[in-house]
Amino acid sequence: IPSLAMWQGYQTFQNSQDKEGGTFIMDIGRRRTIMMFFHNGLLHFIREMSIGGDSFTQELTGDYGDEDSRITLNREQAEKLKQEFGIPLRENDLKAGQGVTYRQLAVKGRPALEKFLDQINRSIDYFRSELSDVVLRQVYMIGGGALLLHLEELLSNTLGMPVRPMPVFQRVTIGMEITDSDQLARDA
């Protein structure tokens, strides 16, 4: 069902640019990420991986520091740090929160991040091997995990192309009682 909803959302907002070349959409959920690849507006393949927002939270849970200054983060504290600071793009010794530095967050979260990026790159490589003459032009992300601070920038840098939130509400009429369309997009 999530894949069908993603496909329907893509059909709703796609434009002429999306119909030319390749489009890659990632639905980054709590426990999994669904990737869909389109070519000339048609679905080419779907891949699901068991890495999502929880994977990053799990990596951030546990002990930080050494014997003299050990800090232990439980799941709730790790989730709060993840939501507040996202993926540290720069490793430094400034405190991110809970007494943990950005460097410690980066090191602790690296295994899940590397696995996530590796799976995305492998999927893109497969798409390109199947359709070698197709240029991947659009990369979109949706889902709660797509809201992770700095993820858009990290993916854009890693993939070498812009990665943007999927504009699923671009053509949706908002009722008068809803005043913040950005909040609607985050909550939906």
Side-chain angles (χ1 to χ4, degrees):
I1 301 266
S3 298
L4 181 59
M6 225 164 88
W7 181 78
Q8 286 290 335
Y10 172 70
Q11 295 298 319
T12 300
F13 84 85
Q14 71 177 334
N15 57 41
S16 60
Q17 187 179 20
D18 292 324
K19 292 180 181 178
E20 297 174 8
T23 301
F24 170 38
I25 301 174
M26 293 177 280
D27 181 359
I28 307 167
R30 183 175 179 195
R31 292 195 176 100
R32 65 180 179 200
T33 298
I34 299 171
M35 297 175 280
M36 298 181 81
F37 290 83
F38 296 86
H39 172 235
N40 292 335
L42 301 174
L43 179 63
H44 182 67
F45 83 90
I46 299 173
R47 179 165 184 227
E48 182 176 319
M49 63 177 168
S50 60
I51 303 170
D54 260 3
S55 304
F56 297 105
T57 303
Q58 189 61 38
E59 290 292 337
L60 297 178
T61 303
D63 293 333
Y64 290 81
D66 55 27
E67 294 286 327
D68 298 328
S69 62
R70 176 163 293 156
I71 298 167
T72 302
L73 296 183
N74 62 32
R75 183 168 187 69
E76 292 77 28
Q77 291 167 320
E79 179 67 24
K80 183 178 178 189
L81 273 180
K82 180 187 82 173
Q83 288 180 3
E84 189 172 344
F85 297 100
I87 299 169
L89 296 179
R90 288 148 196 68
E91 294 183 23
N92 58 49
D93 292 322
L94 294 175
K95 298 289 185 195
Q98 308 281 339
V100 176
T101 66
Y102 285 98
R103 182 180 322 282
Q104 290 170 317
L105 278 180
V107 168
K108 195 89 158 140
R110 191 169 291 137
L113 183 61
E114 287 176 353
K115 185 176 178 186
F116 180 70
L117 294 173
D118 179 61
Q119 292 299 310
I120 290 170
N121 280 317
R122 290 179 60 184
S123 298
I124 290 173
D125 289 346
Y126 175 78
F127 175 78
R128 288 179 172 152
S129 74
E130 290 294 305
L131 298 166
S132 58
D133 59 328
V134 175
V135 175
L136 194 57
R137 296 182 188 273
Q138 307 290 325
V139 181
Y140 297 108
M141 56 183 193
I142 62 173
L147 300 174
L148 186 61
L149 193 61
H150 307 299
L151 182 60
E152 187 177 333
E153 181 180 351
L154 176 73
L155 286 172
S156 293
N157 291 339
T158 301
L159 301 177
M161 65 184 80
V163 175
R164 296 182 300 277
M166 191 164 109
V168 292
F169 294 104
Q170 178 178 324
R171 296 184 182 159
V172 174
T173 303
I174 299 174
M176 291 178 60
E177 59 277 351
I178 299 174
T179 59
D180 186 350
S181 60
D182 291 333
Q183 185 64 45
L184 173 64
R186 285 189 298 275
D187 291 345

